[in-house]
Each structure stands twice: as C-alpha cells, then as structure tokens.
C-alpha cells in the first residue's frame, strides 16, 4: 500500500498518462505513414489538445482531493480517447478533415504527418525522460543514496 502511494504521488500519474497517450498516438501516426500510398485511404488522428484538456481537468480534480491517488482521466464519447480500468489509453481517431483528395482518392498530407510525428515524439521523449528521472530519484531514496 505504501509503494502505491509513492507511485501515485505528484506528477508520476500525469507523466505516465502522457507517455501512454503519446505511445498510442505514435502507433496511429505510423499506421497513417504506412498507408500513405493506399488508394482511398483516409488518415486518422486524435487531438492532443483534447487529451491535454482532459488531463488538466483530472489534475485539478486530483488536487482538490489531495496529491495522491489514481488520476481519473475522463474520456469516451466524443473525446479522442478512453482510459481502460487497467490504465491503458485507447484512441478514438477520426478522419483528418480539409485535405484535397488525390487522383487515387487518398487524403494524404506528408508535411502534416511529419509534423504530427515530430511533435508526438517530442512529447513522448520529454514525458518519458521526466518519468525516468523521478523513478531514479525514488530508487536512490529507497536505497538511501541521495
């Protein structure tokens, strides 16, 4: 029980949620890149801003009840994601609007895909680096090597 309180304290659950979302979105972006030449393919994506809004709301709810405990991120419905009971984040992607169709009825935009990829990789790296540093700090404290 005490270790659960340590791993659910402060920014750890927020960083974990960010890593999970970025990982799920990276799989979606990779799917779009893999199908860039598929006729009639419509790229799918989710809004990172919607996830960030839901994450901020969950952080505010958590602050009002103390800093420790599970982070209750509300998704589903029209939200771009839903959180499963085991903490996984499932995406609910929608077709990207606004691109011109090519002769093969494909809705591709390489620049937008590469921009989404670069932004998502940056979010993943920052969140995973911060999560790793917090984990190392806890490991050092437990081992009494500050």
């Amino acid at each position: 029980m005490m270790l659960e309180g340590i791993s659910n304290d402060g920014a750890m659950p927020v960083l974990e949620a960010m890593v999970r979302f970025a990982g799920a979105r990276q799989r979606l972006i990779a799917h779009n890149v893999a199908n860039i030449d598929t006729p009639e393919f419509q790229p799918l994506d989710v809004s990172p801003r919607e996830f960030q809004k839901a994450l901020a709301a969950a952080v505010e709810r958590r602050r009002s009840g103390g800093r420790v405990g599970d982070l209750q991120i509300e998704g589903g419905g029209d939200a771009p994601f839903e959180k499963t009971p085991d903490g996984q984040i499932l995406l609910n992607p929608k077709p990207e609007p606004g691109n011109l169709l090519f002769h093969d009825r494909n809705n591709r935009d390489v620049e937008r895909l590469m921009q989404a990829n670069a932004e998502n990789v940056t979010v993943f790296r920052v969140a995973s680096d911060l999560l790793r540093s917090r984990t190392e700090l806890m490991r050092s404290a437990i081992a009494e090597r500050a």
Side-chain angles (χ1 to χ4, degrees), residues 8 83 118 126:
N8 282 339
K83 185 177 175 190
V126 168

Side-chain angles (χ1 to χ4, degrees), residues 12-40:
M12 296 282 284
V14 176
L15 294 170
E16 181 182 349
M18 289 175 61
V19 166
R20 288 179 187 260
F21 179 81
R25 186 165 183 243
Q26 191 64 35
R27 286 187 291 278
L28 186 61
I29 292 169
H31 173 74
N32 289 342
V33 170
N35 287 290
I36 196 129
D37 289 331
T38 302
E40 298 189 31

Side-chain angles (χ1 to χ4, degrees), residues 1-2 7 12 14 41-42 45 63 66 90 95 124 133:
M1 183 68 173
M2 182 178 204
S7 65
M12 296 282 284
V14 176
F41 179 73
Q42 299 290 313
D45 202 0
R63 281 184 183 155
L90 303 175
F124 183 85
S133 70

